[in-house]
Each structure stands twice: as structure tokens, then as C-alpha cells.
Amino acid sequence: MKQHSLSTRSRTVAIATVLCWGGTMGCYSYVPSQASYLEPGREMAVEINDLGRLNINALIGGDVSQIAGILQQQTGTDFTIKVSELTYLNGKSAIWSGEPVTVRQDYVRTVFEKKVSPGKTAAAVLASAGVIGGAVIAHTLVAGGNGNGSEGKPVTPPGTGDRRHQ
């Protein structure tokens, strides 16, 4: 019976860990920035306008609609971004590994900040809880609820006792 309690406790800890992980990791989305100045180190994205696409084509290629990454520096005239992802007009994307790119502010249509999305976070936590709950139920059904901690040990028939130590 002690092993069953330990198994239940282990499952409870696992469920709590995943739910907390989902809540702290959260799901993020880019939202238009209301700030005129962003602090370096923030995850952000800029939507490139037509003038920008024409002028930074040599740096990052053509048809780029959005540049995302970590803001390295912002001046009164430009943004220097350690690029993590480019999104193209056709919806495809390319992953970059932090190469810095400087984009003039007059090439930018919209500035976005990466923020936690409460709705996406709640959905992720609920989905995680559903997956874990389903796994626990499936494990319980497969184990047959034999009360021996579901560790595959045979159940000793009543009245026979355990004679291994005699």
C-alpha cells in the first residue's frame, strides 16, 4: 500500500510540474508596441514597408515582411536587431542565428513587442492538463487498479503469505 501512495504522489508531482511549467513558460505573441523607445535586450519584431524592402534587399534578401529578434540598440533613426527569424510576404519564414541587422526607422511600418498572451497560455495549460489526465487514466486502466503500485509485481493470493524470508 505504501508503494501505491508513492506512485500517486509521483503522478501528482508530475502533473503539478507540467501545469506550472505551462503557466510560467506561457505562450507569446507579438503585439504592436505603444512605446517610442524599447530597451535593448527585448524580443521584438518590425514590419517592413515597401521602401524598406527595396533598400535592405542586399542585407536580408527580397520580399521580407517582418524581421524578429532581440533589440541590440535603438537610436533616433534606426534599430539594430539580432535577427532570429525573417517572415516573407508569402508567409514562409527563415530562422537566423542572431546576426545583427540595422533597419532604419523610416523602413518600418509597425514595431511589435513580444508579450505573454493570456489566452494562449490558458489554452496551453488546459491542453497539458488534458494530456496528463488522459495519461493517468490510461495508466490506471492498463494497470487494472490492482493496488500493488502498478509496478508489474504479481499479487500474492490471500492466505499464502510471502515466504521468501523463511
Side-chain angles (χ1 to χ4, degrees):
M1 194 61 140
K2 186 78 168 171
Q3 289 175 336
H4 179 65
S5 174
L6 182 60
S7 179
T8 302
R9 191 174 321 152
S10 296
R11 279 186 264 182
T12 303
V13 168
I15 291 169
T17 300
V18 170
L19 292 177
C20 288
W21 171 80
T24 58
M25 292 302 290
C27 292
Y28 296 87
S29 60
Y30 286 106
V31 296
S33 177
Q34 303 301 317
S36 58
Y37 177 80
L38 298 176
E39 290 190 33
R42 294 214 47 158
E43 291 191 56
M44 53 96 70
V46 290
E47 182 181 3
I48 304 299
N49 61 27
D50 292 336
L51 179 62
R53 270 189 286 286
L54 289 172
N55 287 292
I56 61 176
N57 185 19
L59 287 174
I60 60 173
D63 297 330
V64 172
S65 65
Q66 183 172 293
I67 301 171
I70 296 174
L71 179 64
Q72 191 172 16
Q73 177 182 352
Q74 178 181 354
T75 68
T77 58
D78 55 35
F79 299 96
T80 302
I81 303 167
K82 290 183 177 181
V83 180
S84 60
E85 183 176 19
L86 297 177
T87 304
Y88 297 95
L89 292 172
N90 64 6
K92 293 184 179 182
S93 62
I95 303 300
W96 280 34
S97 59
E99 296 89 347
V101 171
T102 300
V103 180
R104 288 183 15 187
Q105 287 189 10
D106 60 334
Y107 296 167
V108 173
R109 177 176 291 136
T110 310
V111 176
F112 298 95
E113 293 181 79
K114 196 171 192 179
K115 298 213 175 186
V116 174
S117 171
K120 288 182 181 179
T121 301
V125 169
L126 289 174
S128 297
V131 168
I132 291 172
V136 168
I137 290 169
H139 180 72
T140 302
L141 292 173
V142 168
N146 61 14
N148 69 349
S150 303
E151 296 183 18
K153 298 177 188 170
V155 176
T156 305
T160 59
D162 187 357
R163 298 182 185 162
R164 283 183 280 178
H165 299 294
Q166 291 180 354

